[in-house]
Protein backbone atom coordinates (compact mmCIF):
# COMPACT_ATOMS: atom_id res chain seq x y z
CA UNK A 1 0.00 0.00 0.00
CA UNK A 2 2.81 2.39 0.93
CA UNK A 3 4.71 1.53 -2.26
CA UNK A 4 1.66 2.28 -4.43
CA UNK A 5 1.15 5.63 -2.69
CA UNK A 6 4.82 6.58 -3.20
CA UNK A 7 4.76 5.60 -6.86
CA UNK A 8 1.54 7.61 -7.35
CA UNK A 9 3.17 10.68 -5.79
CA UNK A 10 6.29 10.25 -7.98
CA UNK A 11 4.08 9.87 -11.05
CA UNK A 12 2.18 13.07 -10.27
CA UNK A 13 5.45 14.97 -9.70
CA UNK A 14 6.88 13.66 -12.99
CA UNK A 15 3.69 14.66 -14.82
CA UNK A 16 3.79 18.17 -13.31
CA UNK A 17 7.44 18.50 -14.34
CA UNK A 18 6.59 17.46 -17.90
CA UNK A 19 3.74 20.00 -18.05
CA UNK A 20 6.04 22.75 -16.75
CA UNK A 21 8.70 21.92 -19.36
CA UNK A 22 6.08 21.88 -22.14
CA UNK A 23 4.59 25.21 -21.05
CA UNK A 24 8.04 26.79 -20.85
CA UNK A 25 8.89 25.48 -24.32
CA UNK A 26 5.60 26.68 -25.80
CA UNK A 27 5.94 30.15 -24.29
CA UNK A 28 9.48 30.49 -25.62
CA UNK A 29 8.41 29.30 -29.05
CA UNK A 30 5.37 31.56 -28.97
CA UNK A 31 7.62 34.48 -28.00
CA UNK A 32 9.75 33.97 -31.14
CA UNK A 33 6.84 33.51 -33.56
CA UNK A 34 4.51 35.97 -31.87
CA UNK A 35 7.02 38.72 -31.16
CA UNK A 36 5.43 41.08 -33.68
CA UNK A 37 2.11 42.28 -32.36
CA UNK A 38 -0.36 44.53 -34.09
CA UNK A 39 -2.13 47.20 -32.14
CA UNK A 40 -5.85 47.37 -32.71
CA UNK A 41 -6.67 50.73 -34.26
CA UNK A 42 -3.38 52.21 -35.47
CA UNK A 43 -2.00 49.14 -37.19
CA UNK A 44 1.53 49.90 -35.93
CA UNK A 45 3.77 46.88 -35.64
CA UNK A 46 5.32 46.66 -32.19
CA UNK A 47 8.13 44.32 -31.25
CA UNK A 48 8.12 43.34 -27.63
CA UNK A 49 11.16 44.65 -25.80
CA UNK A 50 11.86 47.40 -28.35
CA UNK A 51 12.01 50.95 -27.05
CA UNK A 52 10.55 53.97 -28.71
CA UNK A 53 11.63 57.62 -28.57
CA UNK A 54 8.85 59.58 -26.93
CA UNK A 55 9.83 63.25 -26.93
CA UNK A 56 10.38 63.53 -30.70
CA UNK A 57 13.70 65.37 -30.39
CA UNK A 58 15.08 63.59 -33.46
CA UNK A 59 12.45 65.15 -35.74
CA UNK A 60 13.27 68.66 -34.58
CA UNK A 61 10.24 69.19 -32.36
CA UNK A 62 10.79 70.59 -28.89
CA UNK A 63 10.47 68.13 -26.02
CA UNK A 64 7.52 68.74 -23.74
CA UNK A 65 9.61 69.20 -20.62
CA UNK A 66 13.08 70.63 -20.38
CA UNK A 67 15.26 70.97 -17.33
CA UNK A 68 17.12 74.22 -16.94
CA UNK A 69 20.79 74.32 -16.02
CA UNK A 70 20.01 75.83 -12.62
CA UNK A 71 17.61 72.99 -11.83
CA UNK A 72 20.24 70.45 -12.86
CA UNK A 73 22.85 72.24 -10.74
CA UNK A 74 20.47 72.34 -7.75
CA UNK A 75 19.74 68.63 -8.18
CA UNK A 76 23.47 67.93 -8.33
CA UNK A 77 24.09 69.96 -5.18
CA UNK A 78 21.27 68.15 -3.37
CA UNK A 79 22.75 64.81 -4.37
CA UNK A 80 26.23 65.88 -3.29
CA UNK A 81 24.89 67.12 0.05
CA UNK A 82 22.90 63.94 0.53
CA UNK A 83 26.04 61.92 -0.23
CA UNK A 84 27.98 63.98 2.30
CA UNK A 85 25.46 63.34 5.07
CA UNK A 86 25.22 59.63 4.24
CA UNK A 87 29.00 59.33 4.21
CA UNK A 88 29.33 61.27 7.48
CA UNK A 89 26.79 59.00 9.20
CA UNK A 90 28.55 55.93 7.85
CA UNK A 91 31.97 57.15 9.01
CA UNK A 92 30.57 58.02 12.43
CA UNK A 93 29.00 54.57 12.78
CA UNK A 94 32.17 52.79 11.65
CA UNK A 95 34.31 54.73 14.12
CA UNK A 96 31.82 54.01 16.89
CA UNK A 97 31.72 50.30 16.02
CA UNK A 98 35.51 50.09 16.14
CA UNK A 99 35.61 51.83 19.52
CA UNK A 100 32.87 49.61 20.94
CA UNK A 101 34.75 46.55 19.71
CA UNK A 102 37.90 47.68 21.51
CA UNK A 103 35.97 48.46 24.70
CA UNK A 104 34.22 45.08 24.56
CA UNK A 105 37.54 43.31 24.19
CA UNK A 106 38.80 45.20 27.23
CA UNK A 107 35.72 44.45 29.32
CA UNK A 108 35.77 40.74 28.37
CA UNK A 109 39.50 40.31 28.85
CA UNK A 110 40.08 38.12 31.91
CA UNK A 111 43.51 39.65 32.56
CA UNK A 112 42.17 43.24 32.67
CA UNK A 113 41.74 44.81 36.09
CA UNK A 114 38.30 45.71 37.46
CA UNK A 115 38.79 49.45 36.97
CA UNK A 116 39.61 49.03 33.25
CA UNK A 117 36.55 46.83 32.79
CA UNK A 118 34.31 49.39 34.50
CA UNK A 119 35.73 52.22 32.38
CA UNK A 120 35.22 50.21 29.19
CA UNK A 121 31.62 49.38 30.12
CA UNK A 122 30.95 53.02 31.04
CA UNK A 123 32.40 54.14 27.70
CA UNK A 124 30.16 51.70 25.82
CA UNK A 125 27.12 52.98 27.72
CA UNK A 126 28.09 56.60 27.02
CA UNK A 127 28.54 55.88 23.33
CA UNK A 128 25.12 54.22 23.18
CA UNK A 129 23.51 57.21 24.91
CA UNK A 130 25.26 59.62 22.56
CA UNK A 131 24.09 57.64 19.53
CA UNK A 132 20.48 57.91 20.70
CA UNK A 133 20.86 61.63 21.40
CA UNK A 134 22.45 62.23 17.99
CA UNK A 135 19.60 60.45 16.22
CA UNK A 136 17.00 62.41 18.22
CA UNK A 137 18.69 65.74 17.48
CA UNK A 138 18.93 64.93 13.77
CA UNK A 139 15.26 63.96 13.59
CA UNK A 140 14.15 67.08 15.46
CA UNK A 141 16.26 69.37 13.27
CA UNK A 142 14.81 67.81 10.13
CA UNK A 143 11.32 68.16 11.65
CA UNK A 144 11.97 71.91 12.05
CA UNK A 145 12.23 72.20 8.25
CA UNK A 146 15.90 71.65 7.49
CA UNK A 147 16.68 69.30 4.62
CA UNK A 148 19.27 67.17 6.43
CA UNK A 149 21.79 67.27 9.25
CA UNK A 150 24.33 65.14 11.05
CA UNK A 151 25.30 65.46 14.71
CA UNK A 152 28.50 64.54 16.52
CA UNK A 153 28.56 64.41 20.32
CA UNK A 154 31.82 64.05 22.26
CA UNK A 155 33.18 65.03 25.68
CA UNK A 156 33.99 68.60 24.61
CA UNK A 157 30.68 69.49 23.02
CA UNK A 158 28.26 68.99 20.14
CA UNK A 159 28.76 69.67 16.43
CA UNK A 160 25.66 69.92 14.25
CA UNK A 161 26.22 70.10 10.50
CA UNK A 162 23.15 71.30 8.60
CA UNK A 163 22.52 71.17 4.87
CA UNK A 164 22.86 74.56 3.22
CA UNK A 165 19.57 76.42 2.96
CA UNK A 166 18.51 78.72 0.16
CA UNK A 167 18.98 81.88 2.23
CA UNK A 168 21.70 80.56 4.51
CA UNK A 169 21.41 79.96 8.22
CA UNK A 170 19.99 82.94 10.03
CA UNK A 171 20.24 83.72 13.73
CA UNK A 172 16.72 82.35 14.22
CA UNK A 173 17.71 79.04 12.59
CA UNK A 174 20.82 78.79 14.75
CA UNK A 175 18.72 79.49 17.86
CA UNK A 176 16.23 76.73 16.91
CA UNK A 177 19.00 74.19 16.44
CA UNK A 178 20.81 75.28 19.62
CA UNK A 179 17.54 74.93 21.61
CA UNK A 180 17.04 71.41 20.26
CA UNK A 181 20.59 70.40 21.20
CA UNK A 182 20.34 71.93 24.68
CA UNK A 183 17.01 70.20 25.33
CA UNK A 184 18.42 66.80 24.32
CA UNK A 185 21.85 67.08 25.97
CA UNK A 186 23.41 68.65 29.05
CA UNK A 187 25.77 70.89 27.07
CA UNK A 188 25.84 74.67 27.41
CA UNK A 189 25.32 76.92 24.39
CA UNK A 190 29.00 77.89 24.17
CA UNK A 191 30.13 74.32 23.34
CA UNK A 192 27.50 73.75 20.64
CA UNK A 193 28.81 74.37 17.12
CA UNK A 194 26.35 74.69 14.25
CA UNK A 195 27.91 74.43 10.81
CA UNK A 196 26.26 74.88 7.42
CA UNK A 197 27.59 72.82 4.52
CA UNK A 198 29.29 74.69 1.72
Amino acid sequence: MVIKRKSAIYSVIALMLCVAVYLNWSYQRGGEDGAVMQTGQTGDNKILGESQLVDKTESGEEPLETVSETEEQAAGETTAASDYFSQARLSRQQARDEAVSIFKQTSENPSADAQSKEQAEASIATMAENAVKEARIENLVVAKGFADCVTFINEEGVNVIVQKTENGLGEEDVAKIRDIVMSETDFAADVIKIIETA
Side-chain angles (χ1 to χ4, degrees), residues 133-148:
K133 289 176 184 178
E134 289 168 348
R136 253 188 291 174
I137 290 168
E138 291 169 2
N139 289 334
L140 290 170
V141 169
V142 169
K144 287 289 185 181
F146 296 94
D148 203 355

Side-chain angles (χ1 to χ4, degrees), residues 103-194:
F103 287 134
K104 276 189 177 181
Q105 287 176 353
T106 302
S107 68
E108 294 171 354
N109 188 352
S111 63
D113 62 341
Q115 184 180 3
S116 297
K117 288 182 178 184
E118 287 177 16
Q119 286 178 342
E121 290 171 1
S123 296
I124 291 172
T126 302
M127 291 176 80
E129 289 174 18
N130 287 346
V132 171
K133 289 176 184 178
E134 289 168 348
R136 253 188 291 174
I137 290 168
E138 291 169 2
N139 289 334
L140 290 170
V141 169
V142 169
K144 287 289 185 181
F146 296 94
D148 203 355
C149 83
V150 65
T151 305
F152 299 97
I153 299 175
N154 56 39
E155 297 85 29
E156 291 98 35
V158 180
N159 295 326
V160 181
I161 303 167
V162 182
Q163 186 170 343
K164 184 176 183 177
T165 60
E166 192 173 300
N167 300 327
L169 278 179
E171 288 184 32
E172 185 178 314
D173 296 329
V174 172
K176 284 181 192 177
I177 296 169
R178 188 167 282 130
D179 287 343
I180 290 170
V181 174
M182 290 174 65
S183 70
E184 294 297 321
T185 65
D186 297 328
F187 288 103
D190 61 332
V191 293
I192 299 172
K193 295 179 185 171
I194 300 167

Side-chain angles (χ1 to χ4, degrees), residues 8 10 18 32 46 48 56 59 80 82 89 92 97 102 109 116-118 126 129 131 153 163-164 197:
Y10 290 137
C18 291
E32 293 169 3
K46 305 271 182 183
L48 296 176
K56 302 281 185 190
S59 65
S82 176
R89 285 188 190 97
R92 177 183 68 190
D97 289 345
I102 292 169
N109 188 352
S116 297
K117 288 182 178 184
E118 287 177 16
T126 302
E129 289 174 18
I153 299 175
Q163 186 170 343
K164 184 176 183 177
T197 57

Side-chain angles (χ1 to χ4, degrees), residues 38-96:
Q38 289 214 345
T39 56
Q41 298 174 350
T42 61
D44 293 339
N45 287 338
K46 305 271 182 183
I47 297 177
L48 296 176
E50 187 176 291
S51 63
Q52 178 181 4
L53 184 62
V54 178
D55 64 358
K56 302 281 185 190
T57 56
E58 287 182 2
S59 65
E61 295 178 21
E62 285 292 318
L64 295 176
E65 183 178 330
T66 59
V67 178
S68 69
E69 288 181 26
T70 56
E71 289 174 348
E72 286 180 1
Q73 185 179 12
E77 288 175 1
T78 303
T79 303
S82 176
D83 289 345
Y84 167 76
F85 288 105
S86 298
Q87 188 63 36
R89 285 188 190 97
L90 180 64
S91 297
R92 177 183 68 190
Q93 187 60 42
Q94 287 174 341
R96 185 172 287 141

